[in-house]
Every structure is written in C-alpha cells, then in structure tokens.
Amino acid sequence: MSGSVHDQTLALVRVVRSQLASRPDVADLDAIEARLTGPLRVAIAGRVKAGKSTLLNALVGARLAPTDAGECTKIVSQYRQGPLYQVDAELQAGGRQQLRFTREENALDVQLGGLHEDDVRYLDIQWPTSKLERVTLIDTPGLESLNDENSRRTRDFLEQDEMRTTEVDAVIYLMRHLHTTDVAFLDAYMDRSVPESSPVNAVAVLSRADEVGAGRLDAMESARKIAERYRTNDQVRGLASTVVPLAGLLAETGLTLREEEAASLRSIASMPDADRQTLLLSVGHFVDVSASDLTAEIRTELLGRFGLFGVRLAVEAIRDGATTASDLAPILTEASGLRELEALLQRRFLPRARVLQSRTALGAVRGIAKRVQPDLPEVAASIEREIERIEATTVEFAQMRAAHLLASGIVTPRAGAADDLDDLLLFSPAPRALGLPDDAAPHAVMAAAGEAIGRWRTLANDTLVSPSDAEVYEAAARTAETMYLAAQQAAG
C-alpha cells in the first residue's frame, strides 16, 4: 500500500472486511470506515458541573445541549450535521430508535419514551448547521468518581486499551482545578495506538475561568496565568497538548444574546454610580429584592446567563458605548476565551483530522485482530503486521508527535527555528510551510524543500542534541522530503 496514512488505513479496513466477510466483525469495520470518511469526532469531557454542555452550545452557536441534571445529561450525546432535525437513540442491544423532541428556549428536550437510560448507548442528534460540517461534537456525562454510573458511561465510550479503542478522534477536557479524577481520565484516554504515544489529541480547558477571583474584571487574566502554570506542569503536559482558559457561559451567552437582555443591562449601567457599584459588589447584593428597579427575577435570569463577571463586563462595555445586543455580543465572546479555543482547534485538530482518524481506526482494527486471533491466527498476524508497517513508516504520525514535543516544551528548538518547525509540523500546505506564497511553482517548492531537508537533517545528526530534539528535527526533514517528492511529481 502507498499514499497518505489515511489512504493506507482506509485500504487496510477494506482488505480486512473482505477477509472477514462471513463474520459479525464486518459491522464494526463498516462503522470504522464511516468514521474514517466522516467529520472529525471530538468529545467534550470533564467532571460534573465543569461546563461541558455550555461549551458545546458555544461551539455550535446555539443552545442545544441541556445543562440541567435531566436524564439526557446522563447519556453520551453526539451532535452532527444532518439534512434534518432528528434525534435517534443508538441502543445497547443494537439497532436505533427515533425519539421525539422539542426545542425549548434553553435546550433540546428529548423524550426517551419507554427507554431507560441504561438501554441507550448514545443519542445521535442531527442538526443542520455549518458549525458541524467538519466536526462532530460529543457531549459526555460528568465524571464524579472512578466508579459511579455516569462516569462508567463516559469511560466506556472514550477510554481505550489493547482490546478496544475509543470512538472519538480527539478530546477537549474541562477542569476547574487539577483533580485526581482528571489525571486518571486523561491518562486512560491518552492515545496509545502507536509506539511512543503522546497527547496530540487532547486539549485541556480551565473552565468557568470567569469565576476566578470572585468574578473580578481581571478574572480572565488571572485564569490565563493559572493555565500557563498548568501548561508547564510535567504531569499535565504529559496528558494534554495545552491548557487554555474559558468562560463557557459567557461564550454561549455572547453567541445567543437577546436584545431584551441588553436592555436590562442598560438599565443597570444607567444607575447612579454608588447604587450600581453596590449592586455589582456580590451575587447577594445583585439579587437583593430592593437593589434595583429591575425585578429580582430578571436579575436572577441575568446571573444565570452571564454570571457576575459577565454582568460586570457587559455593564462596563455599555458605559463605554456598546449599547445594543449586536454591539455587546462580540465583546462578550472575545472576552470569554472562545475564539482562542476555536483557533486552537483550527490549528491543532482540523488540519490533522485525517491523521487523527487514522490513529483511531488503526487502534480499532488492531482490536478486531486480537478478537479473531483464536480462530484466524494467520489473518490476525497479517493484520497486525500491516498496522505495524503503517505506524512505523508514516511521516504524519512522526509530525504529530514532534509537534507535541514542541508545544509541550519538552523540546526547545534552536534560535530562529521555532516558527519554521511550527509551519512544517502543523500540516500547513507545502508552499506556506516552506515560507513561499501559496501559488509558488513546483520548482520553487522543490528548491525550498531541498534546503529544508539539508537544514533539519544536519541538526538531527548533531551529536550534541538530545534524542527528543533529534526526533523533532528528523520529523521536519522527513516532512520536507514528502513536500519535495510531491512538487517533483507536480513538475512532471
């Protein structure tokens, strides 16, 4: 087999299907192929009340995922693009059942009908939105302990070992503080489908970051400093590629802000200074019955939508001239950290989508090989050999591991090399990765790639660099080689 790792993995899945045509494993191989050719599957996980559903709503730009403690929050739910508004239950016993649902103001209200939570493997929610065109988002029940039922559902869906693989390609893990449960989950999830595994497919989010320092206006800045400390923590960087702060509630509200909410905030902003400052002093002051002309019910609703940090921020923005919902929305969204997280996903996950999917698929095929080994030892051995060949020879896996070594700080490149390595290792198009315009001619790409090969291989062979540094430089050289060969082919 030749071609990209995705092409090789897809070809392997089809070969194995033909080899196992008479066995029930074919259904699993069909599912693996469907995932390989579909959008990237990204799970959102974390402990109870970490803000998982709120983040999903912010990423979709609509209030879909329920954020209360209803029965559907205890079930894994995937949100994917579809031609129709539809909700199906994927059943533990096999098969699917379409479910009735309504869309209330706060979320979807899905009716399980006669089904019990334990009957449902996951909910499949189709929603026509461009936000889900390239990614399928998976909301998971909150982790409370290592053994409770909700945690078991999440762990069964996401974790992996040599006999089974996860059904997701990447994970966004939300944590308010670094807890032993967080470490245990990330360690169990970490992609170990190839040798020398690294957390290239996990990003940690310091969630509810606006609550740092009792929701002061500098809360997000304080949260960024905490996230930076986590990023440099050896334990954390061994389990997640980076840590970013996020005020998920503010992000969701910024994207779904209503004009009547802006009007209520304008009323607060117009209060006399002393009264306004007293009102915004604490949650207790804000909901005090006699603290404002706005009813206590309206103020409670504002707290539920904005949090105290968001209310304070919005009032300040209004006083600075942003008076309408359309004025306020981008300010709140930007302050929430959502754009930073989206940019991270665009840079870390989406360019690598097919490679991440291939890693997941190879792990799944390896599990099938172990399953059939007692009955078909020769077939199992041939599958394992092909998986090992793909893992050992593909440059894409080497690129991802090298990118993690850089992002985590394990490798600190020589002066002037960091940006060049980022461009090469983060799956940028060949001309751009080599510092050329996108329309550069093949011969120009070949010349630049040739120089890059020499530069990085010289560094990789330097006896004074560490093994990890040498690995990164060698991955860069191999990447430049693939670009040279592709340009050579294009040049004829």
Side-chain angles (χ1 to χ4, degrees), residues 312-329:
R312 288 168 172 167
L313 180 67
V315 168
E316 285 296 309
I318 289 171
R319 288 171 56 78
D320 287 339
T323 57
T324 66
S326 59
D327 293 334
L328 282 172

Side-chain angles (χ1 to χ4, degrees), residues 185-330:
F185 174 81
L186 282 168
D187 183 65
Y189 171 75
M190 194 173 77
D191 189 345
R192 304 183 189 278
S193 62
V194 297
E196 299 184 276
S197 59
S198 59
V200 293
N201 54 350
V203 165
V205 170
L206 185 62
S207 66
R208 300 177 69 164
D210 55 310
E211 297 177 7
V212 172
R216 296 191 309 264
L217 284 174
D218 64 351
M220 290 302 293
E221 186 57 38
S222 299
R224 286 187 180 89
K225 294 176 182 177
I226 296 171
E228 176 59 30
R229 288 204 298 272
Y230 280 141
R231 272 197 294 272
T232 57
N233 179 287
D234 288 342
Q235 188 176 44
V236 174
R237 73 183 186 183
L239 298 171
S241 59
T242 192
V243 184
V244 294
L246 178 76
L249 178 63
L250 192 61
E252 179 191 63
T253 300
L255 293 169
T256 58
L257 185 62
R258 301 187 298 268
E259 190 55 54
E260 60 265 30
E261 292 171 327
S264 297
L265 292 166
R266 287 195 298 272
S267 174
I268 294 172
S270 65
M271 293 172 65
D273 289 350
D275 293 343
R276 184 183 66 256
Q277 290 166 7
T278 299
L279 179 72
L280 298 176
L281 194 59
S282 69
V283 169
H285 286 83
F286 191 77
V287 297
D288 183 82
V289 174
S290 59
S292 165
D293 290 338
L294 290 175
T295 66
E297 288 76 15
I298 290 176
R299 283 177 275 135
T300 299
E301 289 175 4
L302 287 176
L303 273 182
R305 283 276 282 158
F306 292 78
L308 190 57
F309 170 80
V311 171
R312 288 168 172 167
L313 180 67
V315 168
E316 285 296 309
I318 289 171
R319 288 171 56 78
D320 287 339
T323 57
T324 66
S326 59
D327 293 334
L328 282 172

Side-chain angles (χ1 to χ4, degrees), residues 67-129:
T67 56
D68 58 17
E71 60 182 2
C72 287
T73 63
K74 302 175 184 177
I75 302 172
V76 174
S77 301
Q78 76 168 14
Y79 294 77
R80 63 187 177 97
Q81 188 184 55
L84 303 171
Y85 300 95
Q86 184 169 321
V87 178
D88 295 312
E90 187 80 15
L91 304 177
Q92 295 283 8
R96 296 165 68 87
Q97 180 174 320
Q98 188 168 343
L99 302 178
R100 297 181 62 184
F101 69 93
T102 57
R103 188 181 182 189
E104 306 296 338
E105 179 180 327
N106 293 330
L108 295 179
D109 181 14
V110 179
Q111 306 299 317
L112 293 182
L115 295 174
H116 186 269
E117 299 155 12
D118 292 337
D119 299 329
V120 181
R121 187 159 171 270
Y122 65 87
L123 296 179
D124 179 30
I125 298 166
Q126 296 184 53
W127 209 257
T129 170

Side-chain angles (χ1 to χ4, degrees), residues 415-433:
D419 290 342
D420 292 343
L421 284 170
D422 264 356
D423 288 338
L424 271 174
L425 298 174
L426 290 177
F427 295 78
S428 300
R432 196 180 312 158

